[in-house]
Amino acid sequence: MEHVPALDEDLKKTLGPATAKVLAEQLGLHTALDLLHHYPRRYAERGELTSLAELSDQIDEHVTVVAQVADARILTFNGGRGKRLEVTITDGSGRLQLVFFGAGVHKPHKDLLPGTRAMFAGKVGMFNRKLQLSHPAYEPLSQDASDRDAATAFANQLIPIYPACAKLESWKIAKCVDAVLPSAQDAVDPLPAALREGRGLVPLTEALSKIHRPGAKADIEDARQRLKWDEAFVLQVALARRRHADSQLPAVPRRPAPGGLLDAFDAKLPFTLTDGQQKVSKEIFDDLATEHPMHRLLQGEVGSGKTMVALRAMLAVVDSGGQAAMLAPTEVLAQQHHRSVTEMMGELAEGGMLGGSDQGTKVVLLTGSMGMPARRQALLDLVTGEAGIVIGTHALIEDKVQFHDLGLVVVDEQHRFGVEQRDALRSKGKQPPHLLVMTATPIPRTVAMTVFGDLETSVLDQLPAGRSPIATHVVPSKDKPHFLARAWERVREEVEKGHQAYVVCPRIGDGEDDPKKKAAEDDGDKRPPLAVVEIAEELTRGPLAGMSVEVLHGRMDPADKDDVMRRFAAGEVKVLVATTVIEVGVNVPNSTVMVIMDADRFGVSQLHQLRGRVGRGSAPGLCLLVSEMHEASPARARLAAVAATLDGFELSRIDLEQRREGDVLGQAQSGVRSSLRMLAVIEDEEVIAEAREEATRVVAEDPTLEGLPGLRTALDALLDTEREQYLEKG
């Protein structure tokens, strides 16, 4: 009996060291099990049988033809070193040339003698204005009447096309899969039998066989349904176990003191909270009052007032004697948060200082670029408990930062932080602190369940009163240059009315981002992206001459950045030409217009984020998306989608549908490939939701999965050392 490789056997034993090395290095496949989970990307049909006369309409299509060999000859080139076999075939309706090169000429030269009838399958190409098939697959036919049936069976066969690499083509990977496919019979089924039978899913061994070697299209569908369930369920069990483990941890309940800091803050608010803010605040306060750490994701539309909700949670914790830390991804954002929090709190942010309120606390800022004396004072205020609230960048995570009693961690813009950072800050509490994660990028429900499945979710989808609608238009600068001229006139009009404007560019252009390198990264001879420094200069000399135009980008000195932002917020700077450093958190209500240059170079969610910087006051906002892309291009379709809706959840779906899954789930997995190979988080909404319910039930009944060894094995594979952080991707 031939050797059946064990699932965890190194592929060297089965396939030989050379092939195994390529599979490991290029595709990350090390064992028979890895290879079985390397699913075909699609399936080619050899094509309906086609007559040679019809081929001129089918360039670049895969076809199958039945024809007779008219002649075959070997030609040499490169001074006799290279060989080419040219075969001419005919079916009475037309003639076609087949070509084979190099070492691949000998077998077809023997098989395809003049007069031989055969089926030929391949991709129709054009060479020297003649149609040809290069290296087609072929199957010689006998002369009897069943030829036609054999030909039809051959033509309809489904050919798996695998994700491949230059050193290993798809058909070679198919041969490797053939070598390990017998071991699929030993695959351990992670799904509990009752779940599998209840949902009518095929057994795992059958699914693996059908996905790699389907007899019909229905086989592929059966296999996909089953394998999607595996991925969704195993991932949701891992998340459910994490939620379960977190719910067992102790935490200090944090309840605001009546008549304390929170009440004093609420009393001086000049507006009423929206219903959404009140509902979400109640969810958060209920969580804070429990003896287990809160783990909540707060997601909301741009400008829905998340910062206000987070601040009230922080004040509640300070009220109860604890401290709160807010972690922001950039210095600009940390400074902006610090400024807006101290402004909102007024004298309540000056606890212990002259003129400060008796009920107040100290709000400190901690960033990497602070001077030593200010930094030392901030660290001292934290360790003594003098400062109830600290806002900072990853500088908060350093070892020397110590808290008196950390009760709440607020992480802003979660997708920019790896989990190590999130956990490093959480570990600074005497007991696990409560955790509130905020994101301004609306996430479709299924993505939230898949990526942030260990967090409870609150959604703010209502804009505060007084917020103005934002009109968005695409400006096709190449087709209609006068539209761009009109855009600059609009900026001038807004500034003359006393408002301010943003101009956003994809590149800095300060000499450090070399355009030649950028151009090489781009497709073909596309020009380099427009740059802040250059556009600011053009505007100052041209359409916006006489106005105060300043630049802001990430490579400026932090003090200069802060100075520009401060003067822009104060209304001294009228037009701010910036990179995406203004994408989140920047709040200047007097800004009413934004022009985004080369808008096609930004993602959908990013454009939505950027647009949210205008229309934050009582005057309506205007966002102009400037692009040179052709009207029929996918990039323009993306811009049209952004212009058509202000619904961030709708846009995030569009964004996801246009991007690959791995981008979504792989953002902070330190280069680890996404474990989702079959599941598409947008299309498979139902599967994910149902898998989450099943997983929660299974974990509640059996937290250690004692009775489900197959599921435990699958979990261990998901959470191997390399993927330890998988679930916690930030």
Side-chain angles (χ1 to χ4, degrees):
M1 191 181 133
E2 65 177 277
H3 168 69
V4 174
L7 287 169
D8 56 358
E9 191 167 286
D10 192 304
L11 289 170
K12 278 189 205 122
K13 282 191 185 170
T14 321
L15 306 174
T19 305
K21 185 171 187 239
V22 176
L23 286 168
E25 287 177 2
Q26 303 287 316
L27 298 168
L29 307 173
H30 303 275
T31 65
L33 189 62
D34 290 344
L35 189 48
L36 287 173
H37 286 304
H38 186 68
Y39 306 130
R41 192 175 55 227
R42 61 188 177 84
Y43 300 85
E45 290 181 77
R46 286 208 163 101
E48 295 304 308
L49 293 178
T50 308
S51 72
L52 297 185
E54 295 167 8
L55 290 183
S56 54
D57 302 334
Q58 304 201 32
I59 302 236
D60 280 345
E61 301 267 325
H62 282 273
V63 297
T64 301
V65 296
V66 172
Q68 193 161 9
V69 177
D71 65 62
R73 58 206 174 119
I74 286 190
L75 306 171
T76 58
F77 53 94
N78 269 357
R81 288 197 300 278
K83 285 185 178 175
R84 180 169 81 239
L85 169 66
E86 289 183 357
V87 178
T88 307
I89 59 171
T90 176
D91 67 351
S93 74
R95 292 167 83 82
L96 176 68
Q97 193 172 61
L98 317 176
V99 287
F100 300 85
F101 292 98
V105 303
H106 303 297
K107 187 171 185 320
H109 193 219
K110 269 202 319 230
D111 294 342
L112 302 176
L113 300 170
T116 306
R117 287 189 76 237
M119 289 179 285
F120 302 93
K123 192 173 173 184
V124 183
M126 183 73 98
F127 182 70
N128 280 344
R129 299 197 188 169
K130 278 191 184 159
L131 294 175
Q132 69 169 27
L133 297 184
S134 179
H135 278 282
Y138 61 86
E139 188 89 354
L141 292 170
S142 61
Q143 299 301 319
D144 64 33
S146 65
D147 278 1
R148 190 79 200 164
D149 300 340
T152 306
F154 175 83
N156 291 335
Q157 190 182 333
L158 292 162
I159 306 162
I161 307 292
Y162 288 92
C165 59
K167 292 183 179 172
L168 211 58
E169 300 92 335
S170 170
W171 62 271
K172 287 185 181 161
I173 293 174
K175 284 195 163 147
C176 296
V177 170
D178 282 336
V180 299
L181 205 49
S183 64
Q185 66 201 31
D186 300 327
V188 181
D189 200 323
L191 295 189
L195 187 160
R196 196 186 77 229
E197 286 153 19
R199 296 193 172 271
L201 299 167
V202 300
L204 179 59
T205 48
E206 190 181 322
L208 289 170
S209 171
K210 283 181 167 176
I211 200 78
H212 290 292
R213 299 296 170 261
K217 286 183 179 170
D219 288 350
I220 301 170
E221 198 37 52
D222 283 352
R224 282 204 162 134
Q225 268 312 101
R226 163 62 217 242
L227 295 166
K228 280 178 179 183
W229 254 95
D230 279 16
E231 288 180 4
F233 181 68
V234 173
L235 178 57
Q236 291 299 342
V237 165
L239 291 165
R241 287 185 79 193
R242 187 177 157 84
R243 283 197 303 277
H244 184 270
D246 283 339
S247 72
Q248 307 302 304
L249 291 172
V252 179
R254 307 283 179 176
R255 297 182 185 88
L261 182 56
L262 180 62
D263 285 350
F265 175 76
D266 284 349
K268 62 194 272 313
L269 275 182
F271 52 81
T272 320
L273 296 176
T274 65
D275 294 346
Q277 284 175 318
Q278 289 178 354
K279 176 177 149 287
V280 169
S281 289
K282 183 181 182 318
E283 289 170 355
I284 291 171
F285 289 155
D286 287 350
D287 280 0
L288 289 174
T290 63
E291 293 181 357
H292 301 292
M294 164 172 83
H295 285 89
R296 191 166 280 282
L297 171 68
L298 170 58
Q299 54 167 333
E301 276 292 9
V302 177
S304 57
K306 289 180 301 298
T307 311
M308 173 59 70
V309 169
L311 175 56
R312 292 183 72 245
M314 293 197 285
L315 295 175
V317 169
V318 174
D319 246 356
S320 72
Q323 291 169 294
M326 182 187 251
L327 187 59
T330 65
E331 295 216 345
V332 167
L333 193 49
Q335 287 161 342
Q336 175 80 29
H337 275 320
H338 182 254
R339 198 175 308 127
S340 59
V341 164
T342 48
E343 279 167 12
M344 283 195 274
M345 287 176 66
E347 75 278 7
L348 294 174
E350 295 166 0
M353 292 187 264
L354 206 58
S357 159
D358 294 344
Q359 290 165 312
T361 186
K362 209 169 181 182
V363 179
V364 298
L365 176 70
L366 190 64
T367 64
S369 65
M370 279 167 71
M372 214 46 223
R375 190 181 171 75
R376 210 172 281 131
Q377 184 58 51
L379 292 172
L380 187 64
D381 289 341
L382 285 178
V383 79
T384 58
E386 187 85 6
I389 295 176
V390 58
I391 296 166
T393 55
H394 50 268
L396 281 174
I397 295 163
E398 290 166 13
D399 290 345
K400 54 171 89 83
V401 180
Q402 292 186 346
F403 290 85
H404 177 64
D405 178 14
L406 181 60
L408 171 67
V409 172
V410 179
V411 181
D412 192 20
E413 285 310 303
Q414 162 73 4
H415 62 282
R416 305 192 180 198
F417 287 103
V419 72
E420 295 84 358
Q421 293 156 310
R422 179 170 123 181
D423 276 358
L425 188 49
R426 274 167 62 189
S427 68
K428 291 183 179 290
K430 295 188 176 80
Q431 277 195 327
H434 298 279
L435 175 71
L436 179 66
V437 166
M438 298 200 296
T439 177
T441 309
I443 308 166
R445 175 172 151 267
T446 42
V447 181
M449 286 194 307
T450 310
V451 183
F452 301 106
D454 59 330
L455 303 169
E456 298 301 324
T457 305
S458 294
V459 177
L460 271 179
D461 48 14
Q462 190 185 6
L463 292 188
R467 276 297 163 89
S468 306
I470 305 167
T472 308
H473 302 286
V474 178
V475 177
S477 55
K478 202 169 192 174
D479 311 344
K480 301 180 178 169
H482 60 287
F483 275 35
L484 182 58
R486 176 70 188 120
W488 299 128
E489 280 172 23
R490 283 292 290 115
V491 170
R492 199 171 253 292
E493 286 162 15
E494 285 299 309
V495 172
E496 281 163 0
K497 283 186 205 162
H499 297 306
Q500 289 159 277
Y502 295 101
V503 178
V504 181
C505 302
R507 194 165 62 86
I508 296 171
D510 58 356
E512 283 190 48
D513 51 351
D514 178 14
K516 286 193 190 73
K517 179 170 154 259
K518 278 283 180 199
E521 286 170 14
D522 285 317
D523 303 336
D525 54 1
K526 223 165 136 190
R527 64 158 172 75
L530 294 171
V532 166
V533 176
E534 292 147 22
I535 292 290
E537 226 167 273
E538 277 175 36
L539 294 176
T540 314
R541 284 202 312 266
L544 303 184
M547 289 185 172
S548 60
V549 176
E550 298 252 3
V551 301
L552 181 74
H553 58 73
R555 273 208 291 271
M556 286 165 63
D557 180 83
D560 295 343
K561 272 194 290 201
D562 201 36
D563 176 55
V564 170
M565 266 319 296
R566 210 177 275 282
R567 287 187 296 115
F568 185 64
E572 295 162 31
V573 173
K574 298 300 178 191
V575 179
L576 189 63
V577 185
T579 55
T580 53
V581 290
I582 59 145
E583 182 185 343
V584 282
V586 173
N587 184 26
V588 180
N590 191 41
S591 307
T592 53
V593 59
M594 174 178 283
V595 181
I596 303 178
M597 307 302 290
D598 279 347
D600 47 274
R601 293 181 186 257
F602 299 99
V604 169
S605 296
Q606 202 172 23
L607 290 169
H608 182 58
Q609 278 294 79
L610 286 164
R611 162 172 71 183
R613 301 303 106 209
V614 295
R616 299 176 79 86
S618 51
L622 173 66
C623 178
L624 301 172
L625 307 173
V626 180
S627 171
E628 289 187 358
M629 298 304 273
H630 188 270
E631 193 167 2
S633 65
R636 276 285 291 277
R638 238 182 26 237
L639 298 182
V642 175
T645 178
L646 287 171
D647 181 342
F649 286 92
E650 177 56 30
L651 286 173
S652 65
R653 286 184 74 95
I654 293 168
D655 198 16
L656 259 182
E657 280 159 8
Q658 291 177 343
R659 283 172 14 199
R660 289 192 347 273
E661 218 66 56
D663 298 344
V664 182
L665 296 179
Q667 286 198 56
Q669 282 183 59
S670 11
V672 177
R673 287 179 312 132
S674 162
S675 78
L676 300 193
R677 297 188 178 93
M678 191 58 79
L679 197 69
V681 287
I682 283 291
E683 288 162 34
D684 300 319
E685 208 153 340
E686 231 168 273
V687 175
I688 291 169
E690 289 171 12
R692 181 179 167 113
E693 272 174 40
E694 293 276 12
T696 307
R697 188 180 52 72
V698 164
V699 171
E701 286 169 12
D702 182 3
T704 58
L705 307 179
E706 208 55 50
L708 297 166
L711 180 53
R712 275 168 58 195
T713 306
L715 265 184
D716 291 343
L718 176 69
L719 302 177
D720 60 16
T721 46
E722 193 189 8
R723 291 224 176 100
E724 200 61 294
Q725 303 301 332
Y726 171 73
L727 297 177
E728 309 185 28
K729 34 195 173 326

